Amino acid sequence: MDTSLGRSYECCRQLHRRHGRTYYLATRLLPAWKRRHVHALYGFTRYADEIVDQTGELSPEMRAARLADWSDRFLAGLGGERVDDPLLPAVLHTIAVFDLDRADFAAFLRSMAMDLTVASYPRYADLLDYMDGSAAAIGTMMLPILGSVDPAAAREPARQLGFAFQLTNFIRDVAEDLDRGRVYLPAEDLAAFGVTHADLVAAAGRRAVTPRIRQLIEYEVTRARAHYRAAAPGVTLLAPASQSCIRTAYVLYGGILDEVIAAGYDVFARRAVVPRRRRAAVVARALLTPTGTPVAVPGSPGEPWRRMSRAGAPNRDRRTTATTP
């Protein structure tokens, strides 16, 4: 690598280390030559996310202009132009090395632009449309870097893992998203459990959950775990050198949901974090697990689904469709 490209990869690594602690820990289990490419993708996606999340510092118009400028520079780089940017050379190099699908990046930037104008989602299908770019596309970006014995079979599990990780973040960060003026829990789910937007705001202000919100969060945890179940077969389809990394990420992100459950589904009292000791144990276990061992799938369908049905929400398609567990 030339010096400027090396600096760009290091800039992405530092961004990943600072802001993506769980995922960064997992990537340390990858071979070094793969690791830098994962950092590059994280740097790209994180920076775009930071632009749209600067709600306190920049107006929507300013954020839209900044995202458009960033996107234009990225597209110019894809077209072969030299870009003067600390992050873009690394991601452009990664795209070239692995011939990554440009459509995934277009889908991602589309979802980032949605965050500038969309504050809530009526149905889960609408949220899935957003997450198709913000989460599933990242799973398919990653797949060529991780490598797979059967890329076609691994594609949908990779998408499902993206959904699972992002839903985990949405569940944990309800209060933080409210501060940005957004709700990523579908309006149909709130209505099914008798929860209003004002109820969420009040609970965040009190830093205490209500019984109805508790039931809502329990349901969303069950939905996220359905995506984890759909993603699980993909871990053993990865290249052997990548399995311990994704196994660790799978367990640690799922562990955030464990912490939410342990807190009685109260996502307002404190931010759910996997304890450091457990994180270290997960890494050690992943290193000792033989390649090809299926991941332990958390949770099971059942009571929350029945409760949702009793609450009057439509239950069809929830457990039968691949993209909407």
Side-chain angles (χ1 to χ4, degrees):
M1 290 192 300
D2 64 48
T3 304
S4 60
L5 185 57
R7 284 198 300 267
S8 182
Y9 272 111
E10 177 59 17
C11 186
C12 290
R13 187 189 74 81
Q14 291 289 349
L15 195 63
H16 194 175
R17 183 169 180 252
R18 188 179 316 122
H19 295 287
R21 292 182 301 170
T22 297
Y23 197 27
Y24 183 82
L25 177 63
T27 60
R28 290 179 66 86
L29 302 181
L30 287 173
W33 72 270
K34 290 190 177 191
R35 205 180 303 151
R36 65 177 184 172
H37 297 295
V38 176
H39 296 327
L41 291 185
Y42 183 90
F44 175 79
T45 57
R46 177 71 193 196
Y47 186 74
D49 197 51
E50 285 294 304
I51 292 173
V52 299
D53 280 350
Q54 288 180 310
T55 53
E57 296 82 13
L58 301 175
S59 68
E61 294 77 17
M62 293 174 68
R63 284 181 281 135
R66 187 168 292 186
L67 182 64
D69 176 66
W70 166 259
S71 300
D72 288 345
R73 280 185 284 152
F74 170 66
L75 292 173
L78 284 178
E81 295 183 28
R82 186 174 180 84
V83 292
D84 182 17
D85 185 276
L87 299 177
L88 287 179
V91 72
L92 292 168
H93 182 253
T94 292
I95 291 170
V97 168
F98 292 94
D99 192 24
L100 299 184
D101 190 347
R102 274 63 167 174
D104 286 334
F105 292 86
F108 171 77
L109 290 171
R110 169 184 170 269
S111 289
M112 292 301 96
M114 288 174 66
D115 270 334
L116 296 169
T117 58
V118 180
S120 62
Y121 296 85
R123 300 172 297 121
Y124 190 54
D126 301 309
L127 184 62
L128 277 172
D129 180 59
Y130 167 79
M131 293 195 300
D132 189 67
S134 64
I138 296 174
T140 51
M141 287 177 198
M142 284 282 297
L143 194 54
I145 299 171
L146 298 172
S148 174
V149 295
D150 189 343
R155 179 178 173 82
E156 186 56 30
R159 287 172 49 80
Q160 292 294 329
L161 194 58
F163 289 141
F165 287 176
Q166 185 150 64
L167 279 176
T168 298
N169 287 337
F170 288 163
I171 292 165
R172 178 191 61 190
D173 297 335
V174 173
E176 186 176 323
D177 291 328
L178 283 169
D179 286 342
R180 297 188 178 112
R182 303 187 199 126
V183 177
Y184 290 107
L185 307 182
E188 66 178 358
D189 295 355
L190 270 67
F193 288 100
V195 176
T196 66
H197 181 276
D199 292 334
L200 293 177
V201 172
R206 292 192 308 269
R207 297 178 64 84
V209 76
T210 65
R212 288 181 177 180
I213 294 175
R214 193 186 307 275
Q215 291 178 345
L216 169 66
I217 298 301
E218 181 181 359
Y219 173 67
E220 301 300 345
V221 167
T222 304
R223 168 179 273 156
R225 283 195 157 166
H227 285 292
Y228 280 100
R229 288 194 297 276
V235 176
T236 55
L237 293 174
L238 297 175
S242 298
Q243 289 187 22
S244 61
C245 165
I246 301 305
R247 185 185 306 277
T248 297
Y250 184 103
V251 174
L252 289 180
Y253 269 92
I256 294 172
L257 297 182
D258 293 340
E259 296 298 317
V260 170
I261 294 169
Y265 301 97
D266 188 346
V267 294
F268 298 111
R270 66 176 182 85
R271 196 169 192 261
V273 176
V274 177
R276 185 172 298 178
R277 181 178 298 178
R278 184 181 174 192
R279 288 155 58 96
V282 168
V283 171
R285 195 178 307 121
L287 288 170
L288 295 173
T289 300
T291 298
T293 303
V295 295
V297 181
S300 60
E303 183 60 28
W305 293 112
R306 292 194 292 273
R307 184 178 298 116
M308 187 65 169
S309 182
R310 288 199 300 271
N315 205 20
R316 57 187 173 80
D317 297 338
R318 301 288 192 200
R319 288 174 287 176
T320 56
T321 6
T323 57
T324 55

